[in-house]
Every structure is written in C-alpha cells, then in structure tokens.
Amino acid sequence: MREVLELLSYPFVMRALTAGALISVCASVLGVILVLKHYALIGHGLSEIGFASLSISAALGLPVMLVSTPAIIIASFVIMFVSQKYKTSGDIAIAVASSFALALGVIAGRGANVSAYLFGSVLAVSQEDVIFAAVLSVIVLASFVVFYNRLFLITYNEDYARSLGINTLFYQFTISVLTALVVVLGMRIMGTLLISGVIILPALTAKNIASCFRSLVIVSGAVSFIAFTAGLALSFVFNLPAGAVIVMTNTAILIIVKVSVKK
Amino acid sequence: MNRLRLNNAVIKYGEIIAVNGVSLCADAGEMIFITGANGSGKSTLMKGIAGLLPLTSGTLERTQRMSYVPQIEEADRNFPARVSEIVITGTQRPGKFFYTHDDKQQAQNAMNELGIMELAGREINALSGGQMRRVFLARALCGQPELLLLDEPCAGLDADSHKILFRVLRRVLSGGCAVVMVTHDISDVDGMPEAKIITLSDGVILNA
Ligand SMILES: Nc1ncnc2c1ncn2[C@@H]1O[C@H](COP(=O)(O)OP(=O)(O)OP(=O)(O)O)[C@@H](O)[C@H]1O
Ligand SMILES: [Mg+2]
C-alpha cells in the first residue's frame, strides 16, 4: 500500500492516472449507447484500424497522431454506416476489415517500435494527453447532460426520433467522433488490443444492475472508474502491463456482478 | 386548414414499387382510413408520410407536428426504460432538449386517457403486447399532434382498448387534428361515418 502511495509522487504516474481515469469514464459512458444499439463491435474495429494507421504512419516517419486521428474518425463513420445498413453481414465485414488492419499494422510497423501501442504503456502518457483527455471528458459528459433526453430517444428508437423531425445523423456523427477520440487517446495507455474492452465491459456490468438508462450511464462510468484505478494499482504492485490488468479487473467485476445479481 | 397534402407519391424499395402515384389530402379534423390487402403498400405509404422513407417522385407537404405509430415498433424490448420515460419522448421536437412542466403534464394526461397510469413506473420489458401498444399511442398523443398517423393500431387490442382508442380519436379530431389510420376491420370504419376511406391495391388507390 505504501509503495502504491509513493508512486503517486511520480509525475508520470499522476499523468497516467488522470488521463486514464478520464478516458475510462468517457469510454464506458459512450459504451452504454454502443452496447444498447448493438454496435459493440465498433470499439474493437476502430482500435485495430487505429493500430494500422499508427503503424503505417510510424513506418513512413509521419506524425503518428496527426495521421491516426482523422483515419480513425473516418473509419468510425464507415463502420457506423456499414453496421446500420447491412446489420449482421455488416458485423462480419467489420470483423474482416479490422483483422486485416491489425495484420497490416503488425507488418508495416515491424521496423518501428509499435508494440507499446499494441499493449499500451503508462509511461507513454504526455502532458498533452492529459489535457486532451480532460477536454474530451468535458465534451462527453456535457453532451450527456445537455442531450440526455435526445440520446435516450435515439438509442431506444432512431426511426421514431426521425419521424419527429430530429436529425439523427447529427447525433450518430457526434457519437462516432467521440468514440473515435476515446479510442485514439485510450490506445496509448490501455493498448490497441484492450481499449475495446474498456468501452464495452463496464456497460455490460451496468446492464445487470441498472434498470433505467440514466442509472445505466452512471453505473457504467462508476464501474469503469473503479476498474481503472484498481487495475492500475494492481499493475504497479504486481509489475504487470496496466491495460491488461484493467481489462482483467473489468472482466472480474462483470463476472462477479453477473453471478451475484439475478435479474 | 390543410394538414397533409401528398401529390402523386411513388416509393420504391430498390426495384420494387410499393407505392405508385398516390395522392392524399387531409384537412384539420378529417379522418382517413386506409385499407387494402397484405402487401398493398399501406405501411410504406405511412412511412413515406412520416418522413422515414424518401419519395422517389411526387411531393409531400405536411405539418411538422406529426405523430406516427408504426405497425411494428422496431425497438429493443429489453431497453432499460420505464413506461413514463417512453411516453414523454413523444413531446420531443428539433431544437428542444429538455422536458417542460407542460410536457410532463401532457404525458400524464395521455397515460390517463389510455388507462395506463398504473403502468407508468413499470419497465417496458414487463409489458404485454397490448399494453405496449397503448404506451405507443400515449406517446403519439402527448406530442399534441396536428396530424396523427396510425398503422393498424387495433391489431392486438381488446374490446376495451378499442373503445378507448376511438374515444381518443374523436377527441383529437374535434380538436382539429387530422388522422390517417390503416385498418383491416370494416367495423372500425362504421364507427366513423364521416371518415374518408381509401383502398390500396398494389400501391395504387382503387377508389377516389
Ligand atoms: N423493407 C422492405 N424491402 C423491400 N420490400 C419491402 C420492404 N417492406 C415492404 N416491402 C414490399 O413492399 C410492398 C408493400 O409492403 P407494405 O408493408 O407497405 O404492405 P402493407 O400494405 O402494409 O401490408 P400489411 O397489410 O401486411 O401490413 C410489399 O410487396 C412488400 O413485400
Ligand atoms: Mg402494413
């Protein structure tokens, strides 16, 4: 315990803790919408495509974030569009495209040092990451407060929202961009392969506890925050990669909740 | 006052022409029944009027204050929500993000009128099919529409609910709302002698 507290005096630990906690909460809150709308694959697809763009830009000596961020945002539109238009066959297309992207990323990035992105690294968190994470959190949380009723309606039934004259495309667009940004930022800490777990798992846990949309969002955010801080602490204590331990913690919470709550 | 003016509407699903040159007008307080065989294009026409399907050709003018009750609600029955939360979504409008006191009052009134007050706090996954239909009707009503589109609202309703629905229809009609309702039941039509009846066949209006 003392060691863990001592770690807090290191700036890099504080940066990882702050940025990571903020991103985890954003990811899990957006995850509620993605899970309820059966877009659970999106996080996974985005992170693998993100990894490919990271690797390729690193191999070509291009500025990594400047290239990957727009690439992931564009990918998020394409995925959202495909999964809506083609339903199940869309899911298959996303699975194929993202496996291909991951393979491509591994090959393209073999010269550059990309394994840090694959599994994440708390050492990689810069001051800018913390600022971006803070700005993103403010945007995500403010959106949920201001647009709560709208998000509720659109998540429940998009067609009905459209019949009321509401521009559902705008909200989808916003959710896509925010998810893409969460993935970009989360990839550095949690790792490309693990960020999708941080998006989906807390929402699944919350589904077992919460009975309305509002509590689902709140519980999901809280679970994610707890899993992140506990996971990060455990990763320091046992000297294990943080992203993996965080996802393990999330999975453990999900299993415990599922077994103990009969709904 | 004109609530709906549809002119020579054509709606296609790819190559299939589901609605083929339909024209339809509804004034304030007017009731129109749409009948026709399965697959004749009734639901497609309703979706076109609701703005959920684009017209391949033709024109549509209608009031923005429209409520639509689909034949089948394509939404997740396990969505975590209570009846009252679903009903009040009917008051949402573009550019308006929060529910006012009046919206809450309208939602209460609508639930009262449809006799689902005691279900208000219930989770939607714990409702029967008929109860769910009443919830969707309440949602449509609480938006205080000027045009109400109902696609086979009587399917699965018991005699009691049926009576409530027609009482509600008479009330909104006298308040100046226009109603377009798809039905297969001729006795529905008998209850509303002043209503217009339109029969669709292969996407075309048979009578005028
Ligand atoms: N999503 C779709 N894609 C392709 N064709 C469709 C689609 N929906 C309906 N159709 C076709 O369009 C035609 C009209 O269908 P529609 O649902 O409007 O009929 P309907 O009159 O409402 O029938 P019912 O009485 O069974 O509800 C049918 O031939 C149907 O097969
Ligand atoms: Mg139909």
Side-chain angles (χ1 to χ4, degrees):
Chain A
M1 194 62 211
R2 163 103 47 91
E3 293 160 48
V4 175
L5 288 177
E6 239 165 60
L7 277 169
L8 290 175
S9 61
Y10 292 101
F12 85 90
V13 177
M14 279 310 289
R15 284 202 298 270
L17 189 63
T18 318
L22 291 171
I23 292 165
S24 302
V25 171
C26 289
S28 61
V29 162
L30 288 165
V32 170
I33 294 180
L34 298 180
V35 164
L36 288 176
K37 284 194 90 50
H38 307 286
Y39 292 159
L41 257 177
I42 284 180
H44 200 70
L46 281 186
S47 52
E48 296 191 347
I49 290 165
F51 174 69
S53 65
L54 274 172
S55 291
I56 293 167
S57 48
L60 297 176
L62 298 169
V64 171
M65 279 299 143
L66 239 49
V67 174
S68 324
T69 308
I72 295 177
I73 289 175
I74 292 167
S76 74
F77 292 153
V78 174
I79 291 178
M80 195 72 102
F81 175 78
V82 167
S83 55
Q84 198 163 42
K85 181 117 188 175
Y86 302 103
K87 306 265 146 67
T88 315
S89 54
D91 288 353
I92 294 167
I94 294 164
V96 172
S98 55
S99 316
F100 169 75
L102 184 60
L104 184 69
V106 170
I107 292 172
R110 75 199 182 287
N113 178 24
V114 294
S115 70
Y117 289 119
L118 217 40
F119 303 111
S121 157
V122 285
L123 297 168
V125 182
S126 67
Q127 193 63 45
E128 287 91 85
D129 288 336
V130 178
I131 293 166
F132 279 132
V135 172
L136 182 64
S137 313
V138 170
I139 294 172
V140 169
L141 299 181
S143 305
F144 267 82
V145 172
V146 176
F147 301 133
Y148 174 80
N149 292 327
R150 204 65 109 221
L151 292 172
F152 174 90
L153 170 61
I154 290 172
T155 310
Y156 173 62
N157 189 342
E158 214 167 289
D159 272 354
Y160 191 75
R162 267 200 311 138
S163 81
L164 292 174
I166 288 161
N167 183 356
T168 55
L169 223 57
F170 165 78
Y171 292 91
Q172 257 176 346
F173 176 91
T174 308
I175 291 164
S176 297
V177 173
L178 293 176
T179 309
L181 293 175
V182 162
V183 168
V184 170
L185 286 169
M187 273 186 334
R188 314 273 287 275
I189 308 174
M190 259 66 88
T192 332
L193 296 179
L194 298 161
I195 182 68
S196 60
V198 179
I199 295 176
I200 300 307
L201 293 167
L204 293 176
T205 302
K207 254 186 116 174
N208 291 285
I209 305 170
S211 63
C212 69
F213 189 66
R214 193 185 304 271
S215 56
L216 198 55
V217 172
I218 294 167
V219 171
S220 183
V223 165
S224 190
F225 179 81
I226 293 165
F228 173 79
T229 40
L232 192 67
L234 289 172
S235 81
F236 283 134
V237 172
F238 297 105
N239 196 23
L240 290 166
V245 181
I246 292 160
V247 170
M248 282 286 207
T249 314
N250 263 308
T251 317
I253 296 174
L254 174 62
I255 292 169
I256 292 166
V257 167
K258 207 159 185 102
V259 169
S260 55
V261 182
K262 281 208 202 87
K263 219 191 150 188
Chain B
M1 227 187 320
N2 205 268
R3 301 292 193 216
L4 166 68
R5 184 174 289 153
L6 186 69
N7 201 9
N8 225 353
V10 176
I11 303 175
K12 290 187 191 172
Y13 296 106
E15 291 296 292
I16 302 168
I17 304 173
V19 170
N20 197 358
V22 170
S23 300
L24 202 62
C25 270
D27 287 329
E30 197 173 4
M31 170 96 201
I32 299 176
F33 284 109
I34 299 180
T35 62
N38 292 143
S40 57
K42 304 180 297 295
S43 295
T44 306
L45 177 62
M46 297 295 265
K47 285 180 194 164
I49 299 172
L52 295 177
L53 287 174
L55 304 187
T56 309
S57 67
T59 56
L60 168 67
E61 285 168 61
R62 64 159 169 79
T63 165
Q64 290 301 307
R65 291 193 78 93
M66 181 224 56
S67 290
Y68 163 62
V69 181
Q71 184 173 9
I72 300 161
E73 175 96 355
E74 281 173 31
D76 187 356
R77 278 298 299 267
N78 289 317
F79 189 84
R82 294 174 202 290
V83 166
S84 57
E85 290 177 290
I86 296 294
V87 169
I88 201 170
T89 59
T91 64
Q92 292 199 28
R93 293 277 170 265
K96 173 171 162 275
F97 301 108
F98 298 99
Y99 298 129
T100 61
H101 180 73
D102 185 53
D103 294 336
K104 288 172 192 156
Q105 195 58 55
Q106 289 301 334
Q108 292 282 324
N109 292 350
M111 286 189 287
N112 249 331
E113 196 169 16
L114 285 153
I116 51 170
M117 232 14 240
E118 67 281 13
L119 301 177
R122 209 87 59 99
E123 285 178 46
I124 56 165
N125 64 11
L127 296 184
S128 76
Q131 288 171 330
M132 201 69 202
R133 294 213 70 109
R134 290 197 198 194
V135 170
F136 295 143
L137 284 167
R139 178 181 64 181
L141 280 186
C142 77
Q144 295 182 282
E146 292 175 342
L147 174 63
L148 184 57
L149 305 176
L150 304 171
D151 196 346
E152 299 197 29
C154 301
L157 289 192
D158 59 21
D160 203 29
S161 307
H162 194 270
K163 221 161 56 200
I164 291 173
L165 172 66
F166 275 78
R167 197 171 64 210
V168 170
L169 287 182
R170 285 202 188 80
R171 180 187 59 79
V172 296
L173 285 166
S174 66
C177 178
V179 180
V180 181
M181 173 169 152
V182 175
T183 183
H184 286 292
D185 191 348
I186 287 306
S187 65
D188 285 349
V189 179
D190 292 341
M192 295 257 173
E194 63 290 351
K196 245 196 253 176
I197 304 160
I198 281 169
T199 307
L200 278 185
S201 171
D202 287 330
V204 183
I205 295 182
L206 280 187
N207 55 342

